[in-house]
Short mmCIF file of all heavy atoms in Angstrom, two decimals:
data_model
loop_
_atom_site.label_atom_id
_atom_site.label_comp_id
_atom_site.label_asym_id
_atom_site.label_seq_id
_atom_site.Cartn_x
_atom_site.Cartn_y
_atom_site.Cartn_z
N MET A 17 -7.23 12.24 11.26
CA MET A 17 -6.60 13.53 11.51
C MET A 17 -7.38 14.66 10.83
O MET A 17 -7.55 15.74 11.39
CB MET A 17 -5.15 13.51 11.03
CG MET A 17 -4.26 12.51 11.75
SD MET A 17 -4.11 12.89 13.51
CE MET A 17 -3.34 14.49 13.43
N SER A 18 -7.86 14.40 9.61
CA SER A 18 -8.62 15.43 8.91
C SER A 18 -9.94 15.73 9.62
O SER A 18 -10.35 16.89 9.74
CB SER A 18 -8.88 14.98 7.47
OG SER A 18 -9.66 15.93 6.77
N ALA A 19 -10.60 14.67 10.11
CA ALA A 19 -11.85 14.88 10.84
C ALA A 19 -11.62 15.65 12.13
O ALA A 19 -12.40 16.54 12.50
CB ALA A 19 -12.52 13.54 11.13
N ALA A 20 -10.54 15.34 12.84
CA ALA A 20 -10.23 16.06 14.07
C ALA A 20 -9.87 17.51 13.80
O ALA A 20 -10.19 18.40 14.59
CB ALA A 20 -9.08 15.37 14.80
N GLN A 21 -9.24 17.79 12.65
CA GLN A 21 -8.87 19.16 12.33
C GLN A 21 -10.09 20.00 11.93
O GLN A 21 -10.15 21.19 12.20
CB GLN A 21 -7.85 19.16 11.19
CG GLN A 21 -7.29 20.55 10.86
CD GLN A 21 -6.36 20.51 9.68
OE1 GLN A 21 -6.44 19.62 8.83
NE2 GLN A 21 -5.44 21.46 9.61
N GLN A 22 -11.07 19.38 11.28
CA GLN A 22 -12.25 20.10 10.81
C GLN A 22 -13.33 20.24 11.88
O GLN A 22 -14.30 20.98 11.67
CB GLN A 22 -12.83 19.40 9.59
CG GLN A 22 -11.93 19.42 8.38
CD GLN A 22 -12.50 18.62 7.22
OE1 GLN A 22 -13.60 18.09 7.32
NE2 GLN A 22 -11.76 18.56 6.14
N LEU A 23 -13.18 19.55 13.00
CA LEU A 23 -14.21 19.62 14.03
C LEU A 23 -14.37 21.01 14.63
O LEU A 23 -15.51 21.46 14.84
CB LEU A 23 -13.91 18.59 15.13
CG LEU A 23 -14.96 18.47 16.24
CD1 LEU A 23 -16.29 18.03 15.66
CD2 LEU A 23 -14.50 17.50 17.31
N PRO A 24 -13.31 21.78 14.96
CA PRO A 24 -13.53 23.12 15.51
C PRO A 24 -14.31 24.05 14.59
O PRO A 24 -15.15 24.82 15.06
CB PRO A 24 -12.10 23.63 15.74
CG PRO A 24 -11.28 22.41 15.93
CD PRO A 24 -11.89 21.40 15.01
N SER A 25 -14.04 24.01 13.28
CA SER A 25 -14.81 24.86 12.36
C SER A 25 -16.27 24.45 12.32
O SER A 25 -17.17 25.31 12.26
CB SER A 25 -14.19 24.79 10.96
OG SER A 25 -14.20 23.45 10.47
N SER A 26 -16.55 23.13 12.37
CA SER A 26 -17.94 22.69 12.42
C SER A 26 -18.60 23.11 13.72
O SER A 26 -19.78 23.50 13.74
CB SER A 26 -18.00 21.17 12.26
OG SER A 26 -17.44 20.75 11.03
N LEU A 27 -17.85 23.06 14.82
CA LEU A 27 -18.38 23.49 16.11
C LEU A 27 -18.71 24.98 16.08
O LEU A 27 -19.77 25.40 16.57
CB LEU A 27 -17.37 23.18 17.21
CG LEU A 27 -17.71 23.68 18.61
CD1 LEU A 27 -19.00 23.05 19.10
CD2 LEU A 27 -16.57 23.38 19.57
N ARG A 28 -17.84 25.78 15.50
CA ARG A 28 -18.10 27.22 15.42
C ARG A 28 -19.32 27.51 14.56
O ARG A 28 -20.15 28.37 14.91
CB ARG A 28 -16.87 27.93 14.86
CG ARG A 28 -17.06 29.43 14.73
CD ARG A 28 -15.77 30.12 14.44
NE ARG A 28 -15.94 31.57 14.37
CZ ARG A 28 -14.95 32.44 14.34
NH1 ARG A 28 -13.69 32.02 14.38
NH2 ARG A 28 -15.18 33.73 14.28
N ALA A 29 -19.44 26.82 13.44
CA ALA A 29 -20.61 27.03 12.58
C ALA A 29 -21.90 26.64 13.29
O ALA A 29 -22.93 27.33 13.17
CB ALA A 29 -20.45 26.24 11.28
N ALA A 30 -21.86 25.55 14.05
CA ALA A 30 -23.05 25.11 14.78
C ALA A 30 -23.43 26.13 15.86
O ALA A 30 -24.61 26.48 16.01
CB ALA A 30 -22.81 23.74 15.41
N LEU A 31 -22.45 26.63 16.60
CA LEU A 31 -22.75 27.62 17.64
C LEU A 31 -23.25 28.93 17.04
O LEU A 31 -24.19 29.54 17.56
CB LEU A 31 -21.50 27.87 18.49
CG LEU A 31 -21.05 26.72 19.39
CD1 LEU A 31 -19.76 27.08 20.11
CD2 LEU A 31 -22.13 26.38 20.41
#
Side-chain angles (χ1 to χ4, degrees):
M17 297 297 298
S18 178
Q21 185 184 25
Q22 295 176 2
L23 184 61
S25 60
S26 300
L27 175 61
R28 179 169 183 169
L31 291 176

